């Protein structure tokens, strides 16, 4: 539908039988919409099926989504929810990757982090390009790969596509170099895209404190509190 006039430009309908059928129907709808919007047929056909790129389990997908929401507001239940997602589908690469990140966020054991990120890396070929690069970046930056330069390169490759999805993670690599101003900037840039990101706001507060920017940290903390209140935490 056109935003300016409300005129319908195209309409698509699919049906699915059960949870797996729902995911397949969503995949067919997405492909039809992308083609109608002008994306090349070659690019559309080259995209892996949604059930392969994510999971063929609707229950696992629900747990994954819940874990992402919990992490957005700094809720450590994100770890348990991600564990539930991979318990349902052990090949769910994105859920394994996020589990590794959540364990890092909430004080998990190094061995558990490495295990989760290694499994994400093992199943990365199932993923779309950005997700695959994100898994590679985590493997080298947070997991057993232990190569910060490769991690930064992978995150920067994602950002060159103007996705904005990896600014926080890229910032963490610069945090490890004690480049606090750059880390602050990347987190605040992400907040411009996702205003209610508790993780990015929390990181920004820490970086501002590390730089002695007490007034800025106090102001950012107020924004973080507003996000927590919005989500009811």
């Amino acid at each position: 539908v056109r935003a300016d006039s409300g005129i319908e430009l195209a309409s698509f309908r699919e049906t699915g039988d059960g949870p797996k059928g729902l995911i397949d129907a969503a995949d067919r709808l997405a492909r039809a919409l992308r083609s109608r919007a002008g994306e090349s047929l070659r690019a559309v056909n080259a995209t892996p099926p949604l059930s392969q790129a994510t999971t063929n389990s609707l229950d696992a997908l629900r747990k994954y989504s819940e874990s992402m929401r919990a992490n957005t507001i700094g809720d450590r239940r994100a770890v348990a929810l991600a564990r539930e997602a991979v318990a349902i589908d052990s090949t769910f690469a994105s859920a394994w990757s996020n589990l590794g990140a959540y364990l890092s966020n909430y004080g998990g054991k190094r061995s558990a982090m490495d295990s989760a990120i290694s499994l994400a890396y093992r199943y990365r070929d199932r993923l779309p390009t950005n997700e695959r690069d994100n898994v590679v970046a985590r493997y080298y930056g947070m997991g057993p790969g232990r190569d910060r330069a490769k991690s930064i390169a992978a995150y920067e490759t994602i950002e060159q596509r103007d996705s904005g999805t990896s600014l926080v993670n890229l910032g963490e690599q610069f945090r490890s170099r004690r480049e606090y101003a750059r880390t602050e900037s990347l987190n605040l840039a992400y907040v411009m895209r996702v205003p209610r990101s508790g993780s990015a706001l929390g990181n920004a507060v820490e970086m501002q404190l590390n730089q002695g920017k007490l007034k800025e940290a106090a102001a950012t903390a107020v924004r973080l509190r507003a996000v927590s209140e919005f989500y009811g935490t």
Side-chain angles (χ1 to χ4, degrees):
V1 175
R2 286 181 59 99
D4 57 351
S5 64
I7 296 173
E8 182 179 287
L9 298 175
S11 179
F12 305 97
R13 182 184 299 273
E14 292 285 349
T15 59
D17 182 13
K20 175 61 163 60
L22 178 60
I23 292 175
D24 289 342
D27 183 58
R28 293 192 296 272
L29 281 172
R31 291 173 190 273
L33 183 60
R34 288 167 59 194
S35 295
R36 182 65 179 83
E39 190 168 349
S40 73
L41 185 60
R42 181 177 182 180
V44 171
N45 290 337
T47 304
L50 183 61
S51 61
Q52 291 181 18
T54 55
T55 175
N56 59 13
S57 168
L58 191 59
D59 288 337
L61 193 59
R62 285 198 186 102
K63 294 297 182 182
Y64 172 74
S65 298
E66 290 172 15
S67 73
M68 292 182 68
R69 179 181 182 277
N71 184 64
T72 296
I73 59 173
D75 186 341
R76 63 178 59 250
R77 286 181 298 172
V79 173
L81 289 164
R83 287 192 189 279
E84 290 181 46
V86 296
I88 296 169
D89 181 359
S90 63
T91 66
F92 195 169
S94 293
W96 280 118
S97 181
N98 280 4
L99 175 58
Y102 301 158
L103 287 167
S104 174
N105 291 347
Y106 305 110
K109 294 182 178 179
R110 165 57 65 181
S111 59
M113 285 173 51
D114 283 353
S115 176
I117 293 171
S118 292
L119 285 164
Y121 191 78
R122 175 181 176 183
Y123 297 116
R124 70 190 185 282
D125 289 341
R126 297 164 53 113
L127 298 171
T129 303
N130 272 359
E131 282 293 311
R132 185 169 62 248
D133 286 346
N134 190 59
V135 166
V136 170
R138 278 184 177 162
Y139 178 80
Y140 286 111
M142 185 183 294
R146 306 288 193 275
D147 190 324
R148 187 164 50 197
K150 287 184 178 180
S151 178
I152 289 174
Y155 282 133
E156 288 180 337
T157 295
I158 296 172
E159 291 312 314
Q160 286 169 6
R161 302 186 188 109
D162 195 30
S163 67
T165 59
S166 295
L167 293 172
V168 173
N169 293 327
L170 179 57
E172 288 305 288
Q173 296 306 307
F174 290 115
R175 182 207 289 253
S176 69
R177 291 179 171 179
R178 300 182 182 274
E179 296 183 32
Y180 299 138
R182 192 168 186 180
T183 304
E184 175 196 1
S185 177
L186 288 167
N187 278 278
L188 291 178
Y190 185 75
V191 172
M192 292 291 291
R193 296 171 182 253
V194 187
R196 295 194 177 102
S197 172
S199 297
L201 286 167
N203 289 342
V205 170
E206 293 174 357
M207 296 304 99
Q208 289 163 343
L209 289 173
N210 285 344
Q211 297 172 79
K213 299 166 65 173
L214 302 184
K215 289 183 179 180
E216 291 87 344
T220 306
V222 171
R223 296 173 66 184
L224 179 59
R225 180 177 180 179
V227 168
S228 297
E229 291 174 348
F230 175 82
Y231 285 110
T233 61

